[in-house]
Every structure is written in structure tokens, then in C-alpha cells.
Amino acid sequence: MSEVNTPTRQLHTGESEDVFLPYMMMESLLEKLKIINYEEEFIKEVKMRPLSRHYFALETNPGEQFYMFIALAAWLIRKAGISFGTPQEDDDPNSTIASILQAMRNLGLAVDFSPTKLKKGSGWFTLQCLTNLADKVIERLKVNYKKPMIPLEEEQVNTDVLNAENESELTFDRVEEEMGVDDESDLDEDNELDVDDLYLASAYLEPSKTNEIIEANVTSEAWKIELERVIPLLKVSIKSSSGDWRAHLDAMKNHQSALDELSSFVGTQLNKLETDIDTVLHKINKREKLINSQFEILLGQYRALQEELAVVNEKYREVNVGVVERQKVLSQLSDNLESVKQETEERGATMSDGSPLVHIKKAIKDIKKEISEMDINIAVAEHMIVEAKLRDKS
């Protein structure tokens, strides 16, 4: 396992002096996450793309980065041995950050900065939190680092040669078959022979022949004749490797020359544009001064009218205050008048009503009827008494 040599620093509230430190911390964090197998466990759990080399170092998408930060922090806290729920996107950010910082304090990690530093989901504080949690997980898993084993160049060359010999045996006959093309047929790209192929063909010779000094037993005239015969049939293409420093150097020179041409052209255009802008601004200033001089009298009249309007508005406010007070008095008098009218109507209704007199007359009539009935009953009783007395006398 390769050793991750990245310095860790304690959390602080100041800004980092080194602008490249977040990029170094992000690369170190990514290596540590790979050590604890985050691609198989965390990435499949959240169903998102793996982290890039500069994901938390640059602020690209604050919403996505903040959710990835809290999800990754929660996963690391669980890996460190503390039960922690998986946060959701609609949770309160302040409560989620407070829970993460409390869990870090429970793990013994120093937290001496404001929780608002973590709301954007990127930057030095975010990387330091994740780095400290990853270190805690690696410490809990007891991961041992070993020194990297760098193979020697000679052993690598010998291994490549042996692998090439094991893959296929190339002979000069095969090279001649590939080179043997008719003069009348056109040479295609498939029939082109690369310089690397020639190098491999020479490397596939027997070791005894390659190590010995080859002495030519052919005359120069025969070599020239053979060369003249082979030149029309041979077409060698040199493949440029993308990793060659010479190709990079040539590309840099080409780009530099192109940039110089573009900078001169763009500089000329910008200077011209600056001159045009200055001319237009000068014209605009002159027109503005002319318009101000033409409308100065109207502006004075407008200011005087505004002052008069302010005076009239003030008088209106004063008069309006008296009107409002009188309206209140009028509303009170109206209420009193309505109550008096209601009482007068009720009394008039009671005075013009004759129902009590009718009831009195009816009662008097009933009393007279009862009196007459009582008189008849008294007369009958007296008659009966008189008859009884006469009967007794007889």
C-alpha cells in the first residue's frame, strides 16, 4: 500500500496563506478515502459519481457540495464507531452541521471555528473536517503503511523484452512479408511500417547475434543497389508519442507564438475600443452639459412649484385635522339623535295603542254579568227562606 505523505494541520479561524493547500488536502483526502474503500460503500450508498481531485477545493455547486459533505461526514462518523443517521437534502443545515461538530467533539477532534464556515460545502474548513474524520477512521481500522517499492529501470527493460518474446516470435521473414508490396499496388495505411516495429524486429533477434559485433561482408555497391530496390517499396511512418517532452515543447512553442499573435491583435483592438469609448464618453458629457444649461430655467420653476406644493400640502394637513375632529363630533351627535328618535317612536307607539282600554271594558262587562247572576241567586235564596218561614208558621 502506498504511503500518503500529506501534512495535517489543526483547525483555526484564520485564512490559509498557501492558495494551493486546499488542492493538496483534497488529493490527500481522496487517497485516504480510497484506502477505507469509500467507492464500494459510500458511492453506492448515495448513488452519486465519485469525487474528483478538486471537488471540495473549488466552489462549483454549493448545494450539491454541501449535501455530499454532510453525507460523507456522516458516513465517516459511522465508520469511526459512532451511530449517526444519514442526513437528507431537506434537513435543516444548521442542525445537521451542529450534529456533525458534536460527533467530532465526541471523537476527540478539535473544533474551534464557526459552523457557518461549513455551509458552502467547500474550502479549507470542509477539507480539514473530512481529513480529520478520515484519519480517525484509518486509526480505528489500524491501517499500516509501507514504503513504496520502486523497480529498477534495467529490470523493467528486461521484463518488457521477455514479455515481448513470450507474446510472439518475430523473424526477418515476417518483416520481409510485411515489407513485400507490389510496385503496381498502392500503399495503404495498413501496410505502413512503423519505426517502433523496426526497433522491435531488431530486438527479437537472437541474443547471441545482438550482443556480437556484426561485420558486413557485402560491398557498398551491393548495398546501394539493394537500397535503390527497397526504397520505392518501403514507407516508414514515425508515430509521435503524446508523452514525449519534445512534442510538448513544440506544442508549447506553437501555443506561445499563437498567443503572441493574438495578444498583439487583441491589444490593438482593445486600444481602439478604449479610444472609441473615451470619445463617446466625451460626447455624452458635452451633451449632458448642454441639456442641463437648456433646462436650468425649467428646473428652477419646477423647484419653486414643488415648494409651493409642499406648503399647500402642509395647510391641507392642518385643515384636515380639524375636519377629522368635527367629523367625530358629528358622528357622536348623529348617534344621540338616533337614540332619541328610537325612544320617541317607542313612546308614540305605546300612546296610540288602544288594546288596554278594550281589555278594561271587557273586564267591566264580565264583572257586571257576574253581579247580575249573584243578584238572581240572592233573590232565589230569599224566596226559598220566605217559603220556609211560611211553611213553619202554618
Side-chain angles (χ1 to χ4, degrees):
M1 186 179 296
S2 63
E3 183 179 4
V4 181
N5 294 324
T6 301
T8 58
R9 297 171 60 184
Q10 296 296 327
L11 291 175
H12 60 83
T13 57
E15 297 294 336
S16 177
E17 295 180 358
D18 190 1
V19 295
F20 299 103
L21 183 59
Y23 299 95
M24 298 170 61
M25 293 177 65
M26 182 60 206
E27 292 183 359
S28 173
L29 174 63
L30 193 59
E31 294 296 330
K32 292 177 182 179
L33 292 176
K34 289 179 180 178
I35 290 173
I36 58 180
N37 197 18
Y38 94 106
E39 293 178 348
E40 297 294 331
E41 298 180 8
F42 174 71
I43 295 299
K44 290 184 178 180
E45 179 182 349
V46 298
K47 296 180 181 180
M48 296 182 71
R49 293 178 297 178
L51 301 178
S52 61
R53 292 177 57 192
H54 310 306
Y55 186 80
F56 290 115
L58 296 173
E59 183 178 357
T60 55
N61 189 352
E64 179 184 348
Q65 286 176 321
F66 178 74
Y67 175 70
M68 182 63 77
F69 160 66
I70 60 177
L72 183 57
W75 179 73
L76 291 173
I77 290 170
R78 291 195 297 269
K79 293 282 287 185
I82 295 179
S83 60
F84 197 89
T86 303
Q88 302 297 327
E89 293 184 2
D90 54 352
D91 292 343
D92 186 14
N94 296 323
S95 61
T96 305
I97 292 174
S99 302
I100 291 173
L101 296 180
Q102 184 60 38
M104 292 178 66
R105 294 188 185 96
N106 295 335
L107 291 172
L109 300 175
V111 180
D112 54 356
F113 61 94
S114 176
T116 57
K117 300 289 185 180
L118 303 177
K119 279 191 176 181
K120 62 181 180 179
S122 61
W124 191 89
F125 296 96
T126 301
L127 287 169
Q128 191 60 48
C129 289
L130 295 176
T131 301
N132 291 341
L133 289 173
D135 292 338
K136 199 71 177 178
V137 173
I138 292 174
E139 180 182 353
R140 183 173 181 269
L141 297 177
K142 297 180 180 180
V143 178
N144 297 323
Y145 297 104
K146 296 180 180 179
K147 293 183 178 181
M149 301 297 295
I150 302 175
L152 299 176
E153 295 181 357
E154 294 180 359
E155 295 178 0
Q156 185 177 1
V157 172
N158 294 331
T159 305
D160 295 337
V161 173
L162 291 175
N163 291 333
E165 289 179 356
N166 292 330
E167 288 178 0
S168 62
E169 295 181 357
L170 187 65
T171 59
F172 278 109
D173 295 335
R174 183 176 177 183
V175 175
E176 290 178 358
E177 290 177 0
E178 292 178 357
M179 292 172 58
V181 182
D182 296 336
D183 295 338
E184 297 176 356
S185 63
D186 296 332
L187 293 176
D188 299 330
E189 292 182 358
D190 297 335
N191 295 328
E192 293 180 357
L193 186 62
D194 192 9
V195 174
D196 297 334
D197 297 334
L198 295 176
Y199 175 75
L200 291 175
S202 63
Y204 293 146
L205 295 174
E206 295 180 2
S208 60
K209 291 183 180 181
T210 55
N211 294 330
E212 295 177 357
I213 298 175
I214 300 174
E215 295 181 358
N217 54 3
V218 183
T219 61
S220 60
E221 288 79 5
W223 273 108
K224 290 180 181 179
I225 295 171
E226 184 66 19
L227 183 60
E228 291 176 357
R229 185 183 69 82
V230 173
I231 283 175
L233 304 177
L234 183 62
K235 184 178 181 182
V236 179
S237 63
I238 300 175
K239 294 181 180 179
S240 60
S241 177
S242 60
D244 190 7
W245 65 272
R246 296 180 182 84
H248 287 297
L249 183 59
D250 293 337
M252 289 172 63
K253 289 181 179 179
N254 294 331
H255 291 322
Q256 183 65 34
S257 61
L259 286 174
D260 293 337
E261 294 177 359
L262 287 174
S263 62
S264 61
F265 175 73
V266 172
T268 305
Q269 295 294 327
L270 289 176
N271 292 329
K272 184 179 178 181
L273 183 61
E274 182 182 4
T275 305
D276 295 340
I277 291 173
D278 291 337
T279 304
V280 172
L281 288 176
H282 183 64
K283 290 181 180 179
I284 290 173
N285 291 328
K286 292 177 71 176
R287 295 286 178 85
E288 184 178 358
K289 292 178 180 178
L290 178 61
I291 291 172
N292 291 333
S293 63
Q294 290 178 352
F295 287 95
E296 187 175 0
I297 299 173
L298 295 177
L299 288 173
Q301 295 177 358
Y302 176 71
R303 293 191 190 97
L305 291 175
Q306 278 189 335
E307 293 176 357
E308 292 179 1
L309 178 62
V311 173
V312 172
N313 288 330
E314 186 66 26
K315 291 181 180 179
Y316 173 74
R317 292 190 190 95
E318 293 176 357
V319 174
N320 193 19
V321 171
V323 172
V324 171
E325 292 177 355
R326 289 177 176 81
Q327 284 181 350
K328 290 181 180 179
V329 174
L330 178 61
S331 62
Q332 292 178 358
L333 294 175
S334 300
D335 294 336
N336 295 332
L337 180 61
E338 290 292 332
S339 62
V340 170
K341 284 183 179 180
Q342 187 174 2
E343 291 179 359
T344 305
E345 290 177 356
E346 290 177 356
R347 289 182 181 180
T350 54
M351 290 174 65
S352 61
D353 190 7
S355 57
L357 182 61
V358 173
H359 290 305
I360 292 170
K361 289 181 179 180
K362 185 178 180 181
I364 292 172
K365 186 178 180 180
D366 293 336
I367 290 170
K368 287 181 179 181
K369 184 178 179 181
E370 290 177 358
I371 290 171
S372 61
E373 289 178 355
M374 290 178 69
D375 290 338
I376 292 170
N377 290 330
I378 290 169
V380 171
E382 288 178 352
H383 178 71
M384 290 176 65
I385 290 171
V386 170
E387 285 183 353
K389 288 179 177 182
L390 291 176
R391 204 180 297 114
D392 291 337
K393 286 180 180 181
S394 63

